[in-house]
Amino acid sequence: MSGIEPHQSHVRAQVLVVGSGAGGATTAALLAEAGFEVLIVEEGPWVDQDSVTPFSLDQMDRQYRSGGVTVALGFPSIAYTEGRCAGGGTEVNSGLYFRPPLDVVDRWRRDFRIQGLDVDDLESIADEVEQAINVTTVPGNPTPASEILRRGAAALNWRHSEIPRWMKYPAGGDAVTGKRQSMTRTYLPRAFAAGARMLVETRVDRLVDNGLNVTAHVTYGDGTGRTPGGAITASHVFVCGGAIQTPALLQRSGIRSHIGRTLAVHPTVKLTAKFADEVNVPDDVPVHQVKEFAPDLSFGGSASHSGLVALALTDEWRTFSTAIEDWRRMSIYYAAITSEGRGWVQHLPGFRDPLVTYRLSHRDREVLRSGLGRLALLTLEAGATEVYPSFRGAPVVRGRGDLATMQQRFAASKASVMTVHLCSTVPMGEHRDRCGADSFGKVHGAERVWVNDASLLPTAPGVNPQATVMAFAIRNARRFIEQQQPHRPHRSPGATQNGAQV
Amino acid sequence: MRSVPSAPLVGPFADRLLALDFPALEPARREQAIAFAIRRVDGLPSVMNVGVVLIAMLFRIVLALPGNDAMLRFFARTPLPLLGEYVRLVRSLGYAYIFETWPDTRPDGSSPVGASAITTSASASPDPGTVE
């Protein structure tokens, strides 16, 4: 990739963007196109999309933090995943697209005192994003596992729809033929075309503001510390490492006020449903979702290759193990909730990674229970012959008559709870008792440091947050450009638009 | 703090646990699954890595005591706080690897006749499952 720079001991840039996911890539592209000298640093490697099987162990090794084994501790602990590669989470998620929910955005504006938040403006940015990443529905057939969600919801007369994705399909192509329009295919190439440069496999350990600019102390390589580190000096820094790494970096840099104290997620519980026919598609996920009980509760489908089916059965393996022989007739589904609970991200001195905790509320546990029950009902209505809920002590559900027993035995503390939507660790707004950053992402109390990723969303939005993250990132980047234009040194025509000057 | 190498602690426990859960699994496959579990534990976030290694030390001691087979069976079946999470972690990693790499493995670990050479593209996961 043409924009990637070799590691060097000292690098200068006008604007340093830490992280290259939905927030970082869009920020970098907009600032570079406005003429700023931009350097992007990414902790993970650049991985070409076509070189990896989606949702595989190989992908987890190469593109997920800690191989995908990351947990927010609690009762129960909640497994989560973070992308750790060029493009961040956009390279590894399912590509489902939801516009920013305007009622939620309006609530954020009021409750967190976000100034200059124009809903129409956000809608217009969403239009722009949808064009840039090619948001579209499947022109051909959805997967059988997706059709099951549609069929079950239709039988129950529950609200459901096909969720568009940021994908490109060949004419008339089925769901599995789509090519993800992630950041490595959209905003990062745009940033490079406008002169931005990128350092991959580069971790920012801490930021030091010396009064005139900010120095980022970095480690190169695989993170073992065996490779010599370096320093990057920049006039402005945008931290876009996601809702776990962004607060951790700020805390390591001595910035702690309202940072990392309000982690919000959408906890999910899951089940595996078995059908008469083969329904398993190992390397794609369903595009249908059921929103009858939204925003409190939503149903969707998960990646379901054989290893994941085995994993979903492990909570009650003694009872469920024989089902694994039929994995081709099985698919995994989830119930996701909007949680009232909150978590913490805390840097601990001497440790490289932060401690992450999360506490479900009593209401969250009850919604998870009812969600799993309703999800089981939906799969039965769609024709499931057997349903295997993922919690210790779960029964095999073969008909409506088993649902009461299942719900009676369920406890969130016995379930495999996980999440992928991590938000709200540096909430934005002028409410200084609640917010870590101002209405446009500038960190309160810091002169040269901005945040521009999912950390800024004041609460979990109740839907996949990527579109909301991108819309806010573009809004905030434009504000920065407007404010800096009068002070920005003019770049002479013909000058090399290098994001990094060594 | 860097990751603490876990092979001497996690390896023997994973070996016994997977042998108990999958008595008919070929030893070579079990070794591959154990190597995978060790690699993942070594790559855990540093705070988790230290916690897991501490619990693994405890289990290493248990495995050296007389009557350890009975104790292993007890721990494998009883979801104790913290200790049970360690068992669950090792088990999840092992199962995910085994069934993604050799998807036709039977519940006792045996392979269908003639299927021993069949593998997938060699990958599974602890859980990227829900991937919105």
Side-chain angles (χ1 to χ4, degrees), chain A residues 3-16:
Chain A
I4 295 178
E5 296 269 297
H7 293 157
Q8 301 176 48
S9 60
H10 190 227
V11 187
R12 293 189 65 83
Q14 191 178 10
V15 179
L16 172 63

Side-chain angles (χ1 to χ4, degrees), chain A residues 290-302:
Chain A
V290 181
K291 294 286 185 184
E292 177 70 13
F293 309 101
D296 287 345
L297 184 58
S298 304
F299 305 132
S302 298

Side-chain angles (χ1 to χ4, degrees), chain B residues 12-31:
Chain B
F13 174 75
D15 187 36
R16 298 279 294 275
L17 183 69
L18 293 178
L20 187 69
D21 287 358
F22 299 110
L25 185 69
E26 290 171 22
R29 291 186 174 187
R30 192 164 71 241
E31 277 173 29

Side-chain angles (χ1 to χ4, degrees), chain A residues 217-470:
Chain A
H217 294 271
V218 302
T219 310
Y220 293 129
D222 59 5
T224 59
R226 288 189 286 266
T227 318
I232 300 167
T233 305
S235 304
H236 309 280
V237 177
F238 280 81
V239 183
C240 310
I244 304 297
Q245 303 308 319
T246 287
L249 172 57
L250 294 177
Q251 290 173 358
R252 289 198 300 271
S253 307
I255 302 169
R256 297 191 180 87
S257 181
H258 302 293
I259 305 291
R261 297 286 178 268
T262 48
L263 173 67
V265 305
H266 298 143
T268 68
V269 284
K270 64 192 172 199
L271 56 76
T272 308
K274 186 160 84 179
F275 296 85
D277 301 318
E278 291 196 359
V279 297
N280 193 293
V281 178
D283 54 359
D284 200 14
V285 296
V287 291
H288 286 93
Q289 288 195 349
V290 181
K291 294 286 185 184
E292 177 70 13
F293 309 101
D296 287 345
L297 184 58
S298 304
F299 305 132
S302 298
S304 297
H305 62 63
S306 49
L308 291 173
V309 172
L311 195 61
L313 300 175
T314 53
D315 283 317
E316 195 48 41
W317 185 255
R318 275 182 295 168
T319 316
F320 295 171
S321 62
T322 52
I324 191 64
E325 296 189 83
D326 291 318
W327 68 269
R328 288 179 182 81
R329 294 197 283 133
M330 301 168 85
S331 195
I332 302 169
Y333 297 94
Y334 66 84
I337 69 164
T338 304
S339 171
E340 284 180 346
R342 283 292 177 270
W344 278 40
V345 177
Q346 181 63 53
H347 164 64
L348 301 178
F351 285 90
R352 178 182 164 82
D353 305 297
L355 173 67
V356 183
T357 58
Y358 196 87
R359 189 165 179 268
L360 294 170
S361 72
H362 177 71
R363 171 264 180 197
D364 292 345
R365 293 164 191 271
E366 287 310 306
V367 180
L368 286 171
R369 180 201 305 273
S370 69
L372 196 62
R374 285 169 164 155
L375 179 62
L377 173 63
L378 185 146
T379 55
L380 289 172
E381 287 294 315
T385 54
E386 290 184 339
V387 175
Y388 304 92
S390 291
F391 67 89
R392 288 194 309 276
V396 180
V397 176
R398 296 188 174 87
R400 282 180 177 242
D402 298 325
L403 290 175
T405 308
M406 185 197 87
Q407 288 198 273
Q408 217 166 23
R409 289 192 195 173
F410 177 86
S413 57
K414 295 194 287 186
S416 290
V417 183
M418 80 151 312
T419 187
V420 285
H421 302 161
L422 306 153
C423 308
S424 314
T425 45
V426 189
M428 64 192 294
E430 305 306 323
H431 197 315
R432 296 295 289 262
D433 294 337
R434 303 175 76 175
C435 299
D438 75 8
S439 298
F440 293 89
K442 187 175 179 185
V443 175
H444 284 306
E447 281 306 304
R448 280 161 279 273
V449 180
W450 280 256
V451 168
N452 217 13
D453 62 18
S455 314
L456 289 181
L457 308 187
T459 63
V463 296
N464 181 313
Q466 182 175 320
T468 309
V469 171
M470 294 179 75

Side-chain angles (χ1 to χ4, degrees), chain A residues 105-142:
Chain A
V105 170
D106 198 49
R107 196 175 67 235
W108 290 344
R109 184 182 57 75
R110 283 195 318 271
D111 294 351
F112 291 81
R113 300 178 198 155
I114 303 175
Q115 292 176 357
L117 181 52
D118 180 340
V119 168
D120 291 337
D121 181 39
L122 218 56
E123 284 272 87
S124 153
I125 295 173
D127 289 337
E128 187 185 317
V129 167
E130 285 164 25
Q131 195 163 8
I133 60 176
N134 204 65
V135 174
T136 182
T137 52
V138 180
N141 296 313

